């Protein structure tokens, strides 16, 4: 937004997605990778906003650095889309859109499932036959560091 506004561009140059920032630290040799706890199998939903921002799969790339962890990436819309998923008139369509993501999470039988988007995570949780809480990838990092 506001590509001609110098102040906006100055602020934008200093904002990062958390995993974008952490991977920049890793590229500079400044990220601790002395992980203590393997995560096992992680089913990771890539949220739409990260795909649109063209950041790449920084979260996946960082989680792959954790020994004893395998990351299954799901690049598909959860069906939530802001308020769309909670409006009564769109709820059925929202659930249909997200069903393939829910099915992938269920079939993965992973130790963890995560998304950088809390709304998408809860949309997935609502569709699971045996609900389990989604985890934010930053929480998975905390676990892996043994904190």
């Amino acid at each position: 937004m506001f590509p001609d506004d110098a102040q906006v561009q100055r602020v934008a140059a200093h904002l990062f997605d958390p995993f974008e920032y952490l991977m920049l630290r890793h590229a500079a040799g400044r990220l601790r990778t002395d992980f203590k706890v393997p995560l096992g199998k992680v089913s990771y939903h890539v949220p739409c906003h990260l795909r649109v921002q063209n950041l790449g799969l920084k979260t996946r790339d960082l989680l792959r650095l954790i020994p004893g962890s395998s990351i299954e990436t799901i690049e598909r819309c959860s069906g939530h889309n802001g308020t769309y998923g909670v409006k009564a008139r769109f709820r059925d369509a929202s659930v249909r859109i997200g069903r393939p993501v829910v099915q992938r999470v269920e079939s993965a039988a992973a130790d963890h499932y995560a998304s950088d988007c809390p709304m998408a995570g809860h949309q997935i949780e609502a569709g699971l036959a045996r609900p389990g809480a989604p985890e934010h990838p930053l929480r998975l990092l905390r676990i892996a560091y043994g904190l």
Side-chain angles (χ1 to χ4, degrees):
M1 295 179 71
F2 307 106
D4 299 326
D5 187 317
Q7 288 181 319
V8 169
Q9 294 311 308
R10 194 165 70 229
V11 170
H14 292 88
L15 291 177
F16 296 90
D17 168 80
F19 285 89
E20 175 188 23
Y21 177 77
L22 292 171
M23 287 306 288
L24 287 169
R25 303 293 359 137
H26 179 61
R30 300 192 53 119
L31 178 72
R32 286 183 45 199
T33 57
D34 57 339
F35 300 106
K36 311 280 188 260
V37 180
L39 296 174
K41 188 175 183 181
V42 177
S43 188
Y44 167 63
H45 171 258
V46 182
C48 300
H49 72 269
L50 290 181
R51 290 196 314 263
V52 170
Q53 292 171 344
N54 292 318
L55 294 178
L57 298 174
K58 306 298 186 208
T59 301
R60 180 209 59 193
D61 295 345
L62 197 142
L63 294 176
R64 282 184 173 171
L65 297 175
I66 302 166
S69 304
S70 65
I71 314 305
E72 176 191 302
T73 304
I74 303 170
E75 292 189 66
R76 188 178 177 114
C77 180
S78 72
H80 197 285
N81 190 26
T83 60
Y84 181 81
V86 295
K87 289 182 178 178
R89 69 178 189 242
F90 300 127
R91 183 66 185 153
D92 289 341
S94 171
V95 169
R96 277 193 308 278
I97 292 166
R99 189 168 291 130
V101 175
V102 170
Q103 290 170 338
R104 293 263 316 266
V105 169
E106 287 183 323
S107 68
D111 300 297
H112 304 273
Y113 81 92
S115 178
D116 295 280
C117 177
M119 290 186 300
H122 290 297
Q123 173 86 341
I124 296 165
E125 177 183 20
L128 294 173
R130 293 184 342 170
E135 297 174 277
H136 193 281
L138 289 171
R139 181 176 190 282
L140 295 181
L141 269 186
R142 183 184 64 80
I143 293 168
Y145 279 121
L147 302 174

